[in-house]
Amino acid sequence: MALPAMLGMGAIMAFATRVIEWIVTRIASRFTNRLAGILIWTTLYISLLVGLAVTFAAIISGISATLPNDLAQGIGAIKPNNFEACIAAIYSSKVAVWVFQQKRQLIDWEQGRPVI
């Protein structure tokens, strides 16, 4: 009587292992898909902000180069020497805040709290 009971336990264990494997696979798949989406959006957002900052700096430099000499000197008196660095710092802080918000949402999602 012990031999058929042992054979049944093997089948039950194989079935339980497959069910657990399926559950873990689904959870991992959902997590990786969400993480990949977050990484894609983060990369897109950062590249757009960097492109905007570079474009803005090029426009400011281009305007200064095409203006008449007296007007360019007037703008040079108003515009600080580290103007591009200031713009980069502003956009970097915006990116940092956005990344921390995304991190908080990811942590909230992992812990099962509602994500706003």
Side-chain angles (χ1 to χ4, degrees):
M1 193 72 160
L3 187 60
M6 291 301 285
L7 290 174
M9 287 301 291
I12 291 173
M13 290 300 288
F15 176 74
T17 303
R18 286 189 180 145
V19 169
I20 291 171
E21 178 187 356
W22 180 81
I23 291 171
V24 169
T25 303
R26 296 294 273 181
I27 291 171
S29 173
R30 183 174 177 195
F31 177 73
T32 54
N33 286 339
R34 182 170 170 92
L35 185 62
I38 288 171
L39 290 175
I40 288 171
W41 282 111
T42 303
T43 305
L44 177 68
Y45 188 73
I46 289 172
S47 62
L48 287 175
L49 282 177
V50 167
L52 181 63
V54 168
T55 304
F56 191 67
I59 288 173
I60 295 297
S61 298
I63 287 174
S64 297
T66 58
L67 292 175
N69 193 21
D70 293 337
L71 191 55
Q73 287 177 353
I75 290 177
I78 296 171
K79 183 182 92 169
N81 293 335
N82 61 349
F83 182 71
E84 288 82 9
C86 291
I87 295 296
I90 290 169
Y91 281 109
S92 297
S93 66
K94 288 181 185 248
V95 168
V97 167
W98 186 77
V99 167
F100 282 120
Q101 287 174 348
Q102 291 297 318
K103 184 178 79 168
R104 187 192 64 192
Q105 285 183 359
L106 182 63
I107 291 171
D108 288 347
W109 177 77
E110 286 176 349
Q111 293 177 353
R113 292 185 282 198
V115 177
I116 297 175

